[in-house]
Amino acid sequence: MNQQNIQEGPLRKEDTIDIKKFIFKIIANWYWFIFTISIAVFSAYLINRYTDPVYTVKGTMIVQDKDNTLSGGVESILEEQGIFRRTRKKVVENEIAILKSYSLSRRAIEESPEFHISYFAEGRIRTVESYKTNTYIIEPDTSFPNKVESPVYVKFTSENECIISTDNDSKKTKVKLGEWFENIDFRFKVLPNDTIKPNGNSNIKTFFIIRDINKLTNAYRSKITLTTTDKKSTIVEISSNGMVAKKEVDFINKLMNVYVNKGLEEKNMIALNTIYFIDEQLNDITDSLNYTENKLMSFRQANKLVDISQEGSMLYQKVERVQNEKALLDMKNKYFNYLLQYISKEQDFSDVMAPSVVDIND
């Protein structure tokens, strides 16, 4: 036992730490700790101050299940019990593809004039986009082929006057607000912003860029992310990210509005095409009835017939029934020819009249 105690004694002595000695070493090198902490805090300040922030905004919308508008609540109960399965996932995926389509994004941007021109303010270290906070508004001449994706610099010398310069033209032109500026690449007016007045003799260097709609559409399409919140729901979450949060919010809201309006326009177009098709058929039937009635009256007058026998009446009813069937077949035949014209012309099928209008269920 004594031998064991002698062997364990030195191990305990080696395991002990001299805390006082460790603290004295830290105090002796205090300036290194203060220096490194100061560098870390200053670096964090520079990063937070001059790095462009990226904001992520999200929006949600309900996708209508068009294939289940007439099913009612029984089908939903059967689906919950696992007895019946609808193609809800397929419907949502199809609508997600439409939401991320080029045509929908382009229409959203085309209907947002504030996206067509981007305004910027140059700082000492970074350049910041001014979205709806710029001190002036550019009114380009739409009949002139203005150069896109090229900066035009604007510097105010007073509240009613500014100096304009471009990268391709070293000449600086002084113009008054409301006057046309024109060179080989641009033609536009600089108008005052009613909400924000320009600062006279400002040292802030500002510029604007007339955007290429095609490139801008592709840029926003690549940023859009669409996901479903639940496998059993038709709620789609739309998210986008950018350096101007307000601009991303406006784009998502506009995209959802365009999507809803597009659906309403398609329904209205189908209804109008259906009415137009029915009107054409009614005109044909009216002409046919008028022709038949005139022919019958001529036959009666020529043969001096006032009344016909019972057998003749039955024959007349059979002929009338056959003519009605023939008219229905002619209507279906016209509808098939109507579809063939669409197929041959390779047109958009979004406004095609529904076949159920002419009693075609296949």
Side-chain angles (χ1 to χ4, degrees):
M1 293 295 294
N2 293 333
Q3 187 177 359
Q4 183 178 2
N5 292 333
I6 293 172
Q7 290 177 353
E8 289 179 355
L11 290 175
R12 289 177 184 157
K13 188 176 181 180
E14 289 179 0
D15 290 341
T16 57
I17 299 174
D18 193 349
I19 298 176
K20 292 183 178 180
K21 184 178 180 182
F22 182 72
I23 293 174
F24 285 136
K25 284 184 178 181
I26 293 175
I27 294 174
N29 298 279
W30 62 269
Y31 49 88
W32 288 109
F33 290 97
I34 294 178
F35 177 75
T36 53
I37 292 172
S38 301
I39 292 295
V41 172
F42 183 70
S43 300
Y45 170 77
L46 292 179
I47 292 172
N48 292 328
R49 177 68 177 83
Y50 296 106
T51 301
D52 293 328
V54 177
Y55 302 94
T56 300
V57 296
K58 297 180 180 180
T60 56
M61 67 178 302
I62 298 176
V63 174
Q64 293 294 333
D65 192 349
K66 301 175 184 178
D67 296 333
N68 194 42
T69 55
L70 302 176
S71 299
V74 177
E75 190 173 289
S76 300
I77 296 173
L78 293 176
E79 184 187 9
E80 294 295 332
Q81 298 297 324
I83 301 173
F84 178 76
R85 289 187 180 181
R86 291 181 294 171
T87 57
R88 177 182 293 178
K89 183 178 180 182
K90 183 178 180 181
V91 170
V92 174
E93 289 177 352
N94 291 342
E95 297 305 312
I96 286 176
I98 294 174
L99 280 165
K100 205 169 183 179
S101 64
Y102 175 87
S103 60
L104 207 69
S105 297
R106 185 180 179 90
R107 180 174 169 180
I109 291 175
E110 287 178 346
E111 294 183 4
S112 304
E114 62 273 13
F115 280 64
H116 299 176
I117 301 176
S118 298
Y119 302 87
F120 299 90
E122 285 189 353
R124 288 176 294 180
I125 295 180
R126 68 189 183 101
T127 300
V128 181
E129 182 176 359
S130 303
Y131 180 69
K132 295 184 178 181
T133 58
N134 43 292
T135 58
Y136 58 91
I137 300 173
I138 298 299
E139 182 183 317
D141 185 358
T142 55
S143 63
F144 187 86
N146 289 287
K147 189 176 182 180
V148 296
E149 302 300 329
S150 180
V152 180
Y153 299 92
V154 179
K155 183 177 181 181
F156 281 89
T157 57
S158 66
E159 291 185 357
N160 299 317
E161 197 174 51
C162 61
I163 297 175
I164 298 174
S165 61
T166 62
D167 288 340
N168 296 333
D169 189 1
S170 58
K171 180 182 177 182
K172 296 182 178 180
T173 306
K174 183 179 289 188
V175 296
K176 292 183 179 180
L177 299 186
E179 291 183 351
W180 285 105
F181 169 82
E182 183 175 0
N183 63 8
I184 193 172
D185 296 322
F186 299 96
R187 177 175 167 80
F188 59 84
K189 287 180 181 180
V190 181
L191 301 177
N193 194 334
D194 295 333
T195 57
I196 302 175
K197 293 183 179 180
N199 297 321
N201 299 321
S202 176
N203 293 323
I204 300 176
K205 193 174 183 181
T206 65
F207 66 93
F208 68 90
I209 297 176
I210 300 176
R211 308 312 301 261
D212 185 345
I213 302 299
N214 182 45
K215 290 183 178 179
L216 195 62
T217 301
N218 289 325
Y220 272 93
R221 279 188 66 212
S222 62
K223 294 194 299 181
I224 297 175
T225 302
L226 297 107
T227 55
T228 54
T229 57
D230 189 83
K231 292 182 179 180
K232 295 182 180 180
S233 70
T234 59
I235 299 177
V236 177
E237 183 180 81
I238 308 173
S239 62
S240 179
N241 57 76
M243 290 181 288
V244 183
K246 176 63 176 173
K247 195 171 185 179
E248 302 302 320
V249 170
D250 289 349
F251 175 75
I252 289 180
N253 289 335
K254 191 64 178 180
L255 185 68
M256 291 191 290
N257 289 335
V258 168
Y259 171 77
V260 173
N261 293 334
K262 185 175 183 294
L264 294 175
E265 291 171 2
E266 288 178 355
K267 292 179 181 178
N268 292 334
M269 183 62 67
I270 292 173
L272 290 174
N273 289 336
T274 302
I275 294 172
Y276 177 74
F277 184 83
I278 292 174
D279 288 340
E280 283 188 343
Q281 302 311 309
L282 289 176
N283 291 331
D284 293 342
I285 293 172
T286 302
D287 293 340
S288 178
L289 290 175
N290 290 333
Y291 173 76
T292 303
E293 184 179 2
N294 293 332
K295 193 173 181 180
L296 179 60
M297 289 296 297
S298 300
F299 176 78
R300 285 182 174 181
Q301 291 175 0
N303 295 276
K304 297 181 180 181
L305 294 175
V306 179
D307 194 8
I308 57 177
S309 64
Q310 184 177 1
E311 184 178 355
S313 178
M314 293 176 63
L315 290 173
Y316 179 76
Q317 291 177 1
K318 288 181 180 180
V319 171
E320 186 179 9
R321 185 169 61 252
V322 171
Q323 287 180 344
N324 290 335
E325 292 177 357
K326 180 178 180 295
L328 182 59
L329 292 174
D330 288 339
M331 185 181 297
K332 290 183 178 181
N333 185 50
K334 288 182 179 180
Y335 179 78
F336 289 127
N337 290 329
Y338 164 78
L339 288 181
L340 284 173
Q341 290 179 0
Y342 266 88
I343 295 172
S344 61
K345 293 179 181 179
E346 298 182 355
Q347 295 181 350
D348 184 10
F349 290 90
S350 60
D351 57 351
V352 175
M353 185 190 66
S356 58
V357 175
V358 290
D359 199 24
I360 298 175
N361 297 319
D362 189 356

